[in-house]
Amino acid sequence: MTVSEASGGPRPDSVKSAARTIDILELLAGSERRLTLSELQRKLDVPKSSLHGLLRTLVARGWVETDERGTGYGVGLSALRAGATFLDRDPVVQVASAVLARLRRQLDETVHLARLDGPDMVYLASRESQHHLRVTSRIGRRLPAHATSLGKAVLSTIDEVEVATILPAKLIALTPDTVTDHDELRAELAEARVRGWAFEQGQNTPGLTCYATAIPNLPTVDAISCSIPQSRITDDHEREVVEALMAAADEIAQLCRARSPR
């Protein structure tokens, strides 16, 4: 008997199964469609017999669901419940909700809250504009930080050396306008650092301009943004959006500090 087994600690095979279970859920969460057993096996390089057993358990517990034929696998309702619980209990999301709703009414444009997670920004909250031509974003959506105003806003608050460790060596392009050169990105972040806010035009979505500012908490990992079709951009509207975002970010930070235990 090993020390781990004698002490009741996890055995290597159970740790491997836990890691594989997380790999399955992350792969399904990142897929735009259901995946077959063969596709999962090929992408994860897990023996089909082991994979089938894990999937059977995940389906039984509601973390994974199948299509009518039982051949396509996707994320289940239990995963949704876990995600909803995270949003319900996250302190920044809690205090930002009312601020974002008011910001959306003030600007009548779509506003977002997102958090840096590795090299990506994950959308945590969104309030949509009432305009017929408007932006929609899915909660939980993950986008490369270098290609979004949200990501640029957060990265601009971080030391250049640390930014280099966060971002991948190869920056992918989401559109023809996405900045994929590290030197050019560093220049953008330097400008955002001086201004106190970031923006991008068409780097994430063609025809869309986004403004963002980081929420000055410690550590700084969250930001709020406003997304506007380029056809509605004027100098006055830009100024109004930036001032409103800066004020809202400060308010969210103050509310978070007020709720933090002293």
Side-chain angles (χ1 to χ4, degrees), residues 165-228:
T165 67
I166 293 172
L167 297 179
K170 181 177 175 58
L171 302 177
I172 66 170
L174 300 184
T175 75
D177 293 321
T178 304
V179 171
T180 58
D181 179 80
H182 279 272
D183 288 337
E184 188 176 349
L185 178 62
R186 275 193 290 271
E188 280 195 346
L189 298 182
E191 292 177 0
R193 219 170 269 125
V194 173
R195 284 193 308 261
W197 53 274
F199 81 102
E200 55 85 7
Q201 291 183 306
Q203 294 190 41
N204 176 12
T205 304
L208 200 66
T209 296
C210 297
Y211 302 89
T213 186
I215 297 173
N217 283 336
L218 293 176
T220 302
V221 294
D222 300 317
I224 56 174
S225 71
C226 181
S227 301
I228 310 170

Side-chain angles (χ1 to χ4, degrees), residues 68-90:
E68 293 179 355
R69 296 182 298 173
T71 58
Y73 295 88
V75 173
L77 286 175
S78 290
L80 173 62
R81 183 175 61 189
T85 300
F86 172 85
L87 294 175
D88 288 341
R89 297 178 182 175
D90 183 85

Side-chain angles (χ1 to χ4, degrees), residues 15-250:
V15 173
K16 183 184 293 185
S17 294
R20 286 175 172 173
T21 299
I22 294 172
D23 288 342
I24 291 170
L25 292 172
E26 288 184 344
L27 180 58
L28 293 177
S31 176
E32 296 181 353
R33 60 177 179 82
R34 296 182 190 272
L35 299 176
T36 65
L37 180 63
S38 295
E39 288 174 321
L40 286 167
Q41 193 275 330
R42 186 172 62 253
K43 292 176 181 292
L44 296 173
D45 193 24
V46 176
K48 273 193 177 182
S49 57
S50 300
L51 183 59
H52 190 267
L54 291 172
L55 286 169
R56 188 166 57 245
T57 300
L58 287 168
V59 170
R61 301 293 292 269
W63 287 87
V64 170
E65 61 182 21
T66 62
D67 57 18
E68 293 179 355
R69 296 182 298 173
T71 58
Y73 295 88
V75 173
L77 286 175
S78 290
L80 173 62
R81 183 175 61 189
T85 300
F86 172 85
L87 294 175
D88 288 341
R89 297 178 182 175
D90 183 85
V92 178
V93 175
Q94 287 179 351
V95 301
S97 181
V99 178
L100 289 177
R102 189 173 69 247
L103 189 62
R104 198 280 302 164
R105 290 193 300 271
Q106 176 184 350
L107 300 174
D108 197 13
E109 302 290 359
T110 299
V111 294
H112 310 286
L113 166 70
R115 178 167 299 159
L116 183 69
D117 182 39
D120 301 324
M121 295 299 291
V122 179
Y123 286 73
L124 301 179
S126 180
R127 297 293 184 273
E128 293 183 10
S129 163
Q130 297 300 301
H131 287 289
H132 177 69
L133 180 61
R134 64 181 182 270
V135 183
T136 59
S137 289
R138 175 170 52 88
I139 303 305
R141 186 186 187 194
R142 178 181 291 268
L143 289 174
H146 71 272
T148 67
S149 63
L150 288 157
K152 294 177 196 290
V154 173
L155 292 175
S156 71
T157 69
I158 301 174
D159 180 83
E160 284 189 4
V161 175
E162 186 178 351
V163 169
T165 67
I166 293 172
L167 297 179
K170 181 177 175 58
L171 302 177
I172 66 170
L174 300 184
T175 75
D177 293 321
T178 304
V179 171
T180 58
D181 179 80
H182 279 272
D183 288 337
E184 188 176 349
L185 178 62
R186 275 193 290 271
E188 280 195 346
L189 298 182
E191 292 177 0
R193 219 170 269 125
V194 173
R195 284 193 308 261
W197 53 274
F199 81 102
E200 55 85 7
Q201 291 183 306
Q203 294 190 41
N204 176 12
T205 304
L208 200 66
T209 296
C210 297
Y211 302 89
T213 186
I215 297 173
N217 283 336
L218 293 176
T220 302
V221 294
D222 300 317
I224 56 174
S225 71
C226 181
S227 301
I228 310 170
Q230 290 177 3
S231 60
R232 285 207 296 271
I233 294 292
T234 64
D235 289 344
D236 287 342
H237 195 28
E238 177 181 279
R239 186 162 42 252
E240 176 191 25
V241 167
V242 169
E243 290 176 356
L245 283 172
M246 299 280 281
D250 285 340

